[in-house]
């Protein structure tokens, strides 16, 4: 429970731009500079930068250094992280935040409040959003951890912060559209929105997206709503993370610049209309989508255009997404229905270059390998001509894994790297799966250039949130432990 309420939500927050290890000393230099205070001689513009990069306690203390410094902090953009007020007791920490916000006239560059127990400070909670809006805050983290088990309404004045570029909200009841305050015209400059454990009506999310034309990154983390239909649209939207959340439907309606759609531990709500969560990609909704996953073949239902993808669905141009280069799937290779769906999925993404497969053995090994199915499978374009990298996660030495890898070795003409990641469960060890390498070493390969690696699992199985949302990272799914064996067709396994 402690991990859920505190450690994990804090791990989603952006890296602080100010370090507590940076301090400003009022002591002049040594003999080499004759005791001259060279920092105070800098122009105000540079002193503003210096002060804004100090922890808030040190930044405020600069006002007593000398008459030269007296007005610098108040005229510099405010940067406030309540983490830098630790280990002060919570009431004193909130009181310090209140004094800082009252004393600084703005502008406000960044305020990150993650350690103040906001629900316990009704008066402060009423006035802080107004001060943030008046100070034209650009970067805001507003996390209400103490309300984790009993969400409270988000102060509506947060919606007046029209200058926001980045907004992280956690553990709130988001106002519905009928409660939006007068004059709240949306977030015209907002580029990054992360909602953590926040209840939000479908209509409220629709309105926020419609009134945030500059939005590039959207993350819904353990977030949910009444209707649970998440409709994605935005002309500049590039990255969407749907993280440990439930929805009846996740639909990409109109997002021409969307590059990355990542789902992690998502499913349909138990009280929904059906057992599967619908993932819909409207025809023509995006032409830039490059990274897609994790699809769970036993949990998600894919719809492209007006076509629901099933094992026997015919392939047509309107039921394909040719822009995707990196696809991640969760599949039980020991269940025929999921193996058939795997083949059908791969046909929808003809230009995949990197394929991540997480082998999910529900209930343990089945003993099924379906080698006959793979032998009779008609050519799949991405397998035949485009896939260069395959990472099979969670292998345990099951026969179903051998059958799939034999298929790949004989059909993937362009395959250059195959990585086998041992399961992080205690059901198998590296020694248990070495026989797979022995089989692959003597198998004729369609691509003689392929290198095969066997690696230990990573210590933590969770997908890395910051890696997933970082568009400069080409493969957000690529995380595993150290390599233990490797071979090519020119040599047998070696340490």
């Amino acid at each position: 429970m402690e991990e859920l309420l505190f450690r994990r939500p804090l791990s989603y927050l952006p890296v602080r731009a100010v370090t507590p290890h940076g301090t400003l000393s009022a002591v002049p230099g040594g003999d080499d500079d004759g005791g001259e205070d060279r920092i105070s001689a800098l122009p105000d513009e540079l002193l503003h930068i210096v002060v804004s990069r100090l922890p808030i306690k040190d930044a405020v203390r600069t006002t007593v250094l000398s008459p030269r410094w007296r007005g610098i902090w108040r005229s510099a953009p405010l940067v406030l992280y309540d983490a830098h007020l630790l280990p002060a007791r919570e009431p004193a920490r909130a009181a310090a935040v209140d004094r800082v916000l009252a004393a600084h006239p703005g502008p406000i560059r960044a305020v990150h409040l993650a350690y103040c127990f906001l629900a316990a400070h009704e008066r402060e909670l009423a006035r802080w959003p107004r001060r943030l809006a008046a100070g034209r805050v650009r970067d805001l983290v507003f996390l209400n951890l103490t309300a984790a088990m009993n969400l409270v309404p988000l102060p509506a004045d947060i919606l007046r912060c029209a200058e926001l570029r980045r907004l992280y909200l956690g553990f709130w009841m988001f106002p519905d559209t009928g409660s939006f305050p007068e004059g709240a015209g949306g977030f015209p400059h907002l580029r990054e929105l992360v909602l953590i454990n926040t209840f939000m009506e479908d209509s409220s999310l629709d309105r926020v997206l419609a009134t945030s034309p500059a939005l590039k990154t959207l993350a819904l983390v353990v977030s949910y709503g009444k209707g649970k239909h998440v409709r994605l649209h935005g002309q500049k939207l590039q990255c969407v993370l749907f993280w440990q959340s439930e929805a009846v439907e996740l639909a990409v309606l109109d997002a021409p610049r969307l590059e990355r759609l990542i789902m992690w531990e998502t499913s349909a709500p138990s009280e929904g209309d059906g057992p599967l969560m619908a993932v819909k990609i409207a025809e023509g909704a995006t032409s830039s989508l490059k990274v897609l996953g994790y699809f769970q073949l036993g949990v998600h239902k894919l719809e492209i255009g007006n076509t629901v993808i099933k094992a026997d669905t015919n392939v047509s141009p309107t039921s394909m997404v040719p822009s995707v280069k990196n696809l991640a799937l969760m599949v039980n290779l020991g269940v025929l229905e999921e193996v058939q769906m795997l083949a059908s999925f791969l046909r929808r993404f003809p230009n995949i270059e990197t394929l991540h497969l997480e082998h999910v053995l529900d209930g343990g090994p089945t003993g099924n390998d379906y080698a006959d199915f793979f032998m009779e499978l008609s050519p799949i374009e991405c397998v035949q001509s485009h896939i260069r990298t395959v990472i099979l996660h969670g292998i345990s030495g099951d026969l179903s894994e051998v059958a799939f890898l034999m298929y790949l070795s004989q059909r993937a003409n362009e395959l250059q790297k195959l990585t086998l990641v041992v399961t992080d469960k205690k059901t198998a060890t590296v020694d248990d799966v070495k026989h797979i390498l022995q089989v692959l070493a003597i198998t004729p390969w369609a691509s003689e250039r392929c290198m095969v690696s066997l690696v230990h699992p990573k210590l933590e199985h969770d997908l890395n949130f910051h890696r997933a949302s970082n568009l400069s990272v080409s493969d957000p799914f690529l995380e595993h432990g150290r390599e233990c064996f490797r071979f090519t067709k020119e040599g047998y396994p070696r340490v």
Side-chain angles (χ1 to χ4, degrees), residues 328-391:
L329 303 172
M330 290 186 178
V331 56
N332 189 338
L333 293 170
V335 175
L336 180 59
E337 292 78 6
E338 293 200 26
V339 172
Q340 293 171 330
M341 280 298 298
L342 169 62
S344 185
F345 260 65
L346 293 178
R347 296 186 192 281
R348 312 299 153 178
F349 305 96
N351 295 314
I352 298 170
E353 296 178 358
T354 300
L355 175 64
H356 287 264
L357 281 184
E358 180 90 28
H359 187 200
V360 181
L361 277 173
D362 295 330
T366 63
N368 301 324
D369 60 21
Y370 302 113
D372 292 342
F373 172 81
F374 286 116
M375 288 180 61
E376 298 170 1
L377 194 59
S378 59
I380 298 176
E381 182 176 350
C382 68
V383 177
Q384 298 284 114
S385 305
H386 297 286
I387 289 181
R388 293 179 173 84
T389 302
V390 174
I391 301 94

Side-chain angles (χ1 to χ4, degrees), residues 19 29 35 63 71 73 86 117 216 238 245 257 278 298 305 309 318 339 357 362 388-389 469 494:
T19 171
T63 60
W73 175 72
L86 298 173
F117 297 165
K216 293 183 178 181
Q238 291 181 287
S245 299
R257 297 187 183 182
I309 307 305
T318 58
V339 172
L357 281 184
D362 295 330
R388 293 179 173 84
T389 302
S469 59
R494 63 181 184 272

Side-chain angles (χ1 to χ4, degrees), residues 177-220:
T177 52
S179 302
F180 277 41
E182 184 178 354
F187 304 113
H189 308 290
L190 190 65
R191 298 170 187 164
E192 182 179 355
L193 174 62
V194 177
L195 302 178
I196 303 170
N197 225 107
T198 294
F199 181 93
M200 193 175 197
E201 300 279 0
D202 295 347
S203 57
S204 296
L205 180 59
D206 288 341
R207 176 164 175 177
V208 168
L209 293 178
T211 56
S212 303
L215 190 65
K216 293 183 178 181
T217 299
L218 171 67
L220 304 177

Side-chain angles (χ1 to χ4, degrees), residues 245-287:
S245 299
E246 293 182 346
V248 173
E249 173 187 284
L250 176 65
V252 182
L253 300 181
D254 183 19
R257 297 187 183 182
L258 186 64
E259 298 180 18
R260 183 172 295 190
L261 176 58
I262 296 181
M263 300 166 288
W264 181 247
E265 296 183 352
T266 64
S267 63
S270 57
E271 70 275 15
D273 296 331
L276 301 181
M277 171 181 149
V279 180
K280 298 183 178 181
I281 302 176
E283 185 177 352
T286 178
S287 57

Side-chain angles (χ1 to χ4, degrees), residues 119 144-153 171-173 197 224:
N144 191 20
L145 281 175
T146 50
M149 304 303 293
N150 186 22
L151 304 187
V152 297
F171 300 94
W172 298 103
M173 295 277 292
N197 225 107
Y224 44 92

Side-chain angles (χ1 to χ4, degrees), residues 81-298:
Y81 295 89
D82 67 347
H84 292 158
L85 299 172
L86 298 173
R89 290 182 175 273
E90 200 284 322
R93 195 160 60 243
V97 170
D98 195 48
R99 290 194 300 270
V100 168
L101 291 179
H104 200 285
I108 300 175
R109 177 181 296 164
V111 171
H112 288 206
L113 302 181
Y115 295 89
C116 291
F117 297 165
L118 299 177
H121 301 281
E122 293 185 11
R123 289 181 299 175
E124 291 86 347
L125 197 56
R127 59 177 174 259
W128 286 356
R130 293 196 296 268
R131 290 173 177 170
L132 292 169
R136 306 184 301 281
V137 62
R138 291 191 169 204
D139 182 350
L140 177 61
V141 171
F142 213 52
L143 207 63
N144 191 20
L145 281 175
T146 50
M149 304 303 293
N150 186 22
L151 304 187
V152 297
L154 176 72
D157 282 324
I158 290 291
L159 304 178
R160 298 183 188 274
C161 298
E163 296 297 322
L164 278 169
R165 269 63 171 174
R166 178 163 66 183
L167 176 60
Y168 279 60
L169 296 174
F171 300 94
W172 298 103
M173 295 277 292
F174 199 91
D176 60 36
T177 52
S179 302
F180 277 41
E182 184 178 354
F187 304 113
H189 308 290
L190 190 65
R191 298 170 187 164
E192 182 179 355
L193 174 62
V194 177
L195 302 178
I196 303 170
N197 225 107
T198 294
F199 181 93
M200 193 175 197
E201 300 279 0
D202 295 347
S203 57
S204 296
L205 180 59
D206 288 341
R207 176 164 175 177
V208 168
L209 293 178
T211 56
S212 303
L215 190 65
K216 293 183 178 181
T217 299
L218 171 67
L220 304 177
V221 182
V222 199
S223 292
Y224 44 92
K226 185 176 181 180
K228 300 180 182 176
H229 289 74
V230 179
R231 296 176 284 262
L232 303 175
H233 51 90
Q235 294 302 300
K236 293 189 176 181
L237 195 60
Q238 291 181 287
C239 177
V240 173
L241 275 60
F242 194 58
W243 209 264
Q244 297 176 317
S245 299
E246 293 182 346
V248 173
E249 173 187 284
L250 176 65
V252 182
L253 300 181
D254 183 19
R257 297 187 183 182
L258 186 64
E259 298 180 18
R260 183 172 295 190
L261 176 58
I262 296 181
M263 300 166 288
W264 181 247
E265 296 183 352
T266 64
S267 63
S270 57
E271 70 275 15
D273 296 331
L276 301 181
M277 171 181 149
V279 180
K280 298 183 178 181
I281 302 176
E283 185 177 352
T286 178
S287 57
S288 303
L289 191 62
K290 296 180 177 64
V291 178
L292 182 61
Y294 264 96
F295 272 104
Q296 296 177 253
L297 299 189

